Amino acid sequence: MKRKLLYPAAAFLVLSVASYFGCDLASIPRSVPTDDGPRAAASPGEAPAGPSTIPDRTPQTLLIGSFNMQRLGPSKLSKPWVLEKFAHIIRSFDVLALQEITSQDQTTLDQLLRIVNSDGSQYAYTISPRIGRAATGYYEQYAFVYDSQRVVSGPQFAYVVQDQADLLHREPFVGRFQARTDLGQAFSFSLINIHTDPDEIDTELDVLAQVVASVRQFEYPEDDVLLLGDLNSAPGRLGQLDRLPNVVALIQAVPTNTRGSKTLDNVLIDRTTTTEFTGRSGVIDLASWFKISQEEALMISDHLPVWAEFAIVEQPTMTTAAAGSPAIRR
Amino acid sequence: MLSMEELQACVADPKLAVARVVELLQTLRSESEEMRAWAADALQQIECLPAANLGAIGPLCMDSYPVVANWACKMTSRIAGARSGAEETLLRTLTLHPHVEVRQQAAKGLGHMGALHPSTLAAMQTLLERGIDQTDARLARCIRRALQPQPTTPPGPCAP
C-alpha cells in the first residue's frame, strides 16, 4: 500500500518561484554581529530557560521556532492585547515559522510587524500565497518572520512545494536563511513550514517524508534542512517521517496545544548534518510565560510556540568529524 | 448563522459544537471567510455525533454550496450508529454531487467509517472502473483507500 501511495510522491517536483534563480544567498554581505548581548526581554521572558519558556537570544546562537497562530484574521487583529502577545512571542525568536494566517487582507503581517518593530526591532517576513482547498471554505497562509539584523532571507529565497498529484491539503512553504555573524562561517539553513490536515494525517506524514527528501535534493549543497510546523501528530506517530534515517523530532512528550493534552507541533532535524543544534529545545507555555490563565492563553492561540536553539556558525557534520577531517559544509 | 463569539465558544467547547452542529454548518454560508474558518474549526473539534443528527445533516451532503456539502459529508462520517443511513448518504453524494471536492470528501468519509456494506464497496468499485483515475486522481485515491479492508467497528470515540 505504501508503495502505491508513495509512487506518485516520487513525482513531486520542487519548483521555485522565478525570482529564486540567480539569487545566491551566500553572496549577501554579512552585517556586524549584534554585540549588545541578549535582547532585553519584558518581564515574562526574564524567567530562566526551562521546558516551558525560551532562552534569551545571544550573539552565539539562533532561536528558530514554529507557531500556529490559530486563525490570524480580522477578529484577532482587532484585539490589541492579543497582538501585543504575538509581538512579544515573535521578538523572542530569530526566525519563527507561522501557520494559520487566514486573513484575506494581505497587510495583516505588516500591521503585526509594526507592533513588533515599535521597540526598534527590525523584523521582516516572507509570506506564502493563500493555500488550501476551496470546499473547506477558507485558505491559509504560511509565513516566516525573522529578525533582519540577525538573519538574511526574503521573498526571493522562498517557494511553495508544488504538489501536482494533489497529495497534500496545504503544500509546504520553504524558506532559505543565513545568519549574520562575523564569528565564523554563518549558519545557513532551509526551513520547510507545514500545517498538516488532521483528517489526512496518515497520508500526509508519509508524503512529507518524500518532501523532505525532495527539498534536501533541491537545496543541495545546503545540508541543514529542517521541517517544522503543526504536524497534528506526536513523535512515534509520524509515519515515514519517524523512519527517516537520522531525523529526530526535537519536541518529545511535551504538549504543544494550549490545553496541554497533545503534542502537535515540532521541529525535525537531521542530527548528523544539523550539528549546529545546541541540544536545547522546548515549548513556551503561554499561560505561565505571560502569567495569564489558560482561558486567556486560548485567546492568543490553541497552540503553543515551539523552539530550538542553534549555533550561529556552521559546525562540522558528524560524518566529516568522525572521518577525522573536520570540514565545514553548508 | 452564529456570531463570532458563538463560533469561538464552540471551538473552545466541543460539546457545544456538537449541540450546534447544524448551525455551524449553516454558518459556512457566510460571506466572511473568517466566519467560515472559525465555523470549520469548531466542526473539526467534533469527534462523534449522535445518530439523531443524520436527519438534519444528511440532506446537507447534497447541498449546492460545496463548502456546506463538504463539511456535511465530514460530519456524516462521524455519526455514531445509523451506519447504514450515513453510508447511503455518503455513497449518494459520492455518486451524484456535481462538485469534485465534495465527492472526494464523501469518499474520504466512507474510508473513515470502518467496514462498509458489500453493496457500497461494489458501487465504489464500479466508479473506479469508469476510469476516474484519468479525470481525478485524488478521488480515485480516496475511493481506493475506502475500499481497503477496514476494522469491523469504527475506531475512536464513535465506536459502539
Side-chain angles (χ1 to χ4, degrees):
Chain A
M1 182 202 103
K2 291 277 190 277
R3 193 170 208 155
K4 237 178 188 175
L5 176 69
L6 289 176
Y7 177 72
F12 245 100
L13 290 177
V14 182
L15 301 175
S16 67
V17 292
S19 56
Y20 174 88
F21 293 105
C23 296
D24 180 4
L25 195 59
S27 69
I28 297 173
R30 297 172 198 158
S31 75
V32 176
T34 52
D35 55 6
D36 52 351
R39 180 175 302 281
S43 52
E46 287 168 358
S52 64
T53 181
I54 183 169
D56 287 331
R57 297 188 297 153
T58 75
Q60 293 79 30
T61 57
L62 278 185
L63 282 167
I64 299 172
S66 171
F67 183 34
N68 180 326
M69 305 178 90
Q70 193 193 18
R71 308 271 173 258
L72 178 61
S75 173
K76 286 195 173 175
L77 285 174
S78 68
K79 295 172 181 158
W81 181 86
V82 173
L83 293 181
E84 283 295 337
K85 295 295 181 278
F86 280 148
H88 190 88
I89 292 164
I90 289 169
R91 284 191 211 111
S92 302
F93 287 88
D94 293 298
V95 182
L96 185 58
L98 301 175
Q99 300 92 39
E100 276 202 31
I101 299 163
T102 49
S103 180
Q104 288 174 279
D105 178 358
Q106 294 302 296
T107 68
T108 296
L109 278 188
D110 293 314
Q111 295 175 54
L112 179 55
L113 286 201
R114 267 198 290 278
I115 299 167
V116 173
N117 291 333
S118 63
D119 71 343
S121 299
Q122 291 182 32
Y123 279 83
Y125 72 91
T126 303
I127 193 162
S128 76
R130 305 181 79 225
I131 292 172
R133 295 200 168 113
T136 62
Y138 64 94
Y139 293 92
E140 295 183 11
Q141 286 175 286
Y142 298 104
F144 294 110
V145 177
Y146 56 94
D147 183 345
S148 63
Q149 293 177 298
R150 304 250 296 161
V151 174
V152 181
S153 189
Q156 67 271 40
F157 303 120
Y159 55 92
V160 175
V161 173
Q162 299 299 299
D163 175 16
Q164 292 172 341
D166 197 13
L167 296 168
L168 298 170
H169 182 163
R170 289 175 280 262
E171 299 86 351
F173 184 49
V174 182
R176 300 181 74 195
F177 303 85
Q178 186 175 59
R180 292 179 189 269
T181 181
D182 281 347
L183 297 176
Q185 186 177 342
F187 178 39
S188 69
F189 51 97
S190 298
L191 300 179
I192 307 172
N193 190 351
I194 181 67
H195 181 197
T196 61
D197 181 339
D199 288 333
E200 302 189 25
I201 203 73
D202 293 346
T203 309
E204 292 201 343
L205 291 171
D206 289 349
V207 172
L208 278 176
Q210 289 289 320
V211 170
V212 170
S214 296
V215 173
R216 274 178 174 168
Q217 195 171 19
F218 185 74
E219 291 294 312
Y220 182 84
E222 175 59 70
D223 63 351
D224 297 307
V225 176
L226 290 68
L227 176 79
L228 75 180
D230 177 2
L231 297 173
N232 275 303
S233 196
R237 295 181 176 182
L238 297 178
Q240 292 296 325
L241 275 179
D242 274 327
R243 289 182 272 283
L244 281 174
N246 303 315
V247 170
V248 288
L250 301 182
I251 308 300
Q252 296 276 345
V254 184
T256 68
N257 64 333
T258 307
R259 290 188 176 85
S261 57
K262 296 174 185 171
T263 304
L264 304 171
D265 309 82
N266 227 308
V267 180
L268 274 66
I269 66 166
D270 183 323
R271 62 185 169 188
T272 61
T273 55
T274 307
T275 48
E276 293 79 9
F277 176 54
T278 66
R280 297 208 292 177
S281 59
V283 181
I284 302 177
D285 180 344
L286 294 176
S288 62
W289 201 49
F290 286 126
K291 298 181 174 60
I292 57 178
S293 67
Q294 188 185 79
E295 201 169 73
E296 289 170 319
L298 283 165
M299 290 171 65
I300 301 169
S301 176
D302 59 352
H303 287 253
L304 303 174
V306 298
W307 59 269
E309 187 185 58
F310 299 85
I312 204 163
V313 293
E314 291 282 346
Q315 303 293 311
T317 63
M318 275 190 187
T319 45
T320 51
S325 55
I328 294 173
R329 293 165 51 200
R330 278 187 66 221
Chain B
M1 286 191 196
L2 299 175
S3 68
M4 179 59 79
E5 290 70 27
E6 289 171 321
L7 290 174
Q8 291 179 346
C10 288
V11 171
D13 181 359
K15 284 182 185 168
L16 185 60
V18 168
R20 308 195 79 165
V21 60
V22 176
E23 292 167 283
L24 286 168
L25 287 168
Q26 296 295 354
T27 304
L28 292 168
R29 298 185 199 281
S30 169
E31 288 183 5
S32 160
E33 184 170 325
E34 186 176 40
M35 297 287 281
R36 297 197 301 270
W38 280 97
D41 236 10
L43 289 166
Q44 190 65 48
Q45 310 297 318
I46 297 173
E47 294 183 337
C48 192
L49 282 167
N53 284 283
L54 184 60
I57 296 175
L60 294 175
C61 291
M62 285 302 291
D63 198 281
S64 60
Y65 188 46
V67 179
V68 172
N70 183 64
W71 282 94
C73 286
K74 193 175 283 196
M75 292 301 104
T76 299
S77 70
R78 296 178 187 180
I79 289 176
R83 280 189 48 79
S84 62
E87 207 175 306
E88 279 172 27
T89 299
L90 290 175
L91 181 60
R92 182 164 178 265
T93 308
L94 169 62
T95 312
L96 298 175
H97 201 283
H99 196 283
V100 66
E101 284 189 42
V102 177
R103 294 200 300 276
Q104 290 169 356
Q105 186 61 56
K108 275 177 61 183
L110 286 166
H112 288 156
M113 289 189 68
L116 298 171
H117 193 274
S119 62
T120 305
L121 295 173
M124 287 196 292
Q125 190 62 51
T126 303
L127 285 172
L128 275 183
E129 287 163 5
R130 285 183 197 161
I132 284 176
D133 275 309
Q134 307 302 317
T135 54
D136 186 342
R138 182 164 186 268
L139 179 57
R141 276 200 310 274
C142 294
I143 293 175
R144 283 205 182 87
R145 192 174 174 86
L147 283 169
Q148 285 171 359
Q150 302 287 325
T152 51
T153 55
C158 273

